[in-house]
Amino acid sequence: MKDSTLLFRSLATIIFIAGIAHLTSYASQKDDINHNYEESIDSNQENVFPEDEKPKSNNNLETDYIVGKWKVNYNTEDFNGVVFYNIKKEGKYFNAYTYQYQDKNGNSEKAEGFKTLVIKSFDNYQGKGIYVIEYEQQQYQVDCQIDMVDENTFKLSYDYYGYSDIETWKRQ
């Protein structure tokens, strides 16, 4: 075998193995995040208990005030308007779903109810979670920080490979 043929076959083998390893690590990371999403949905399913054995509600009035309808103003190349979200407590997490879009002219459209935010921990002032951002028709799940300004406003911030933003969520 020629040295050049051996070199190209070796390079092809290395690239193939590295590609498989890269895809495997990407798939396992994506599955882990999706598992966390599904865990929050599954934990909300009701169990059947006799009335006298029904567990007490785990609602915490101190943190449940984040539940409700919120709006965020966006002014980007892709969208200039308002997105409305509904934050619900499901199990031990708070999940935000889109429910309406409104452009700058006031035209509104019902949203598909996509889960865009999972707040995994939240005290009265700060929280941490996973936020779904869309960039060039790709969706990315990124870690985010929630900082309450007052009971009707919070700031959601994230930094993902140099792309960072702070969104202001206002109670509707």
Side-chain angles (χ1 to χ4, degrees):
M1 220 184 271
K2 291 183 180 179
D3 287 337
S4 62
T5 305
L6 183 60
L7 176 69
F8 286 121
R9 284 187 181 176
S10 298
L11 282 174
T13 304
I14 291 170
I15 290 171
F16 179 73
I17 292 171
I20 296 287
H22 181 71
L23 287 175
T24 303
S25 76
Y26 176 75
S28 68
Q29 179 184 20
K30 190 173 182 181
D31 288 344
D32 183 44
I33 291 172
N34 287 337
H35 173 72
N36 289 339
Y37 270 58
E38 291 167 5
E39 176 186 346
S40 67
I41 292 170
D42 292 342
S43 65
N44 191 39
Q45 293 178 351
E46 290 188 354
N47 294 325
V48 178
F49 291 100
E51 285 301 313
D52 58 339
E53 294 180 22
K54 200 159 195 151
K56 293 183 179 176
S57 172
N58 63 350
N59 289 342
N60 184 348
L61 296 177
E62 292 179 0
T63 57
D64 285 358
Y65 67 81
I66 200 167
V67 171
K69 297 190 177 184
W70 299 80
K71 66 179 181 176
V72 181
N73 289 313
Y74 293 97
N75 189 7
T76 65
E77 290 179 16
D78 297 330
F79 182 71
N80 187 2
V82 180
V83 177
F84 295 92
Y85 298 96
N86 190 10
I87 297 180
K88 301 175 182 179
K89 185 166 187 179
E90 298 176 329
K92 60 183 179 178
Y93 299 130
F94 295 96
N95 298 314
Y97 298 90
T98 56
Y99 74 90
Q100 185 178 4
Y101 302 108
Q102 186 177 47
D103 67 12
K104 65 181 180 179
N105 299 323
N107 301 318
S108 62
E109 179 180 323
K110 184 178 178 188
E112 61 278 352
F114 181 70
K115 186 189 303 187
T116 58
L117 174 64
V118 175
I119 303 172
K120 292 184 170 190
S121 66
F122 183 72
D123 61 19
N124 291 336
Y125 307 103
Q126 295 181 332
K128 292 185 180 192
I130 297 175
Y131 186 52
V132 177
I133 59 173
E134 189 169 315
Y135 178 71
E136 294 183 357
Q137 295 153 355
Q138 292 280 350
Q139 292 181 348
Y140 301 93
Q141 297 170 345
V142 300
D143 293 332
C144 66
Q145 175 77 30
I146 291 100
D147 293 305
M148 294 302 296
V149 175
D150 57 41
E151 66 182 35
N152 294 316
T153 308
F154 69 86
K155 300 226 181 239
L156 182 142
S157 58
Y158 56 88
D159 186 6
Y160 187 68
Y161 291 107
Y163 181 76
S164 61
D165 197 7
I166 298 174
E167 297 179 359
T168 302
W169 290 50
K170 298 232 176 230
R171 188 177 300 279
Q172 185 182 2

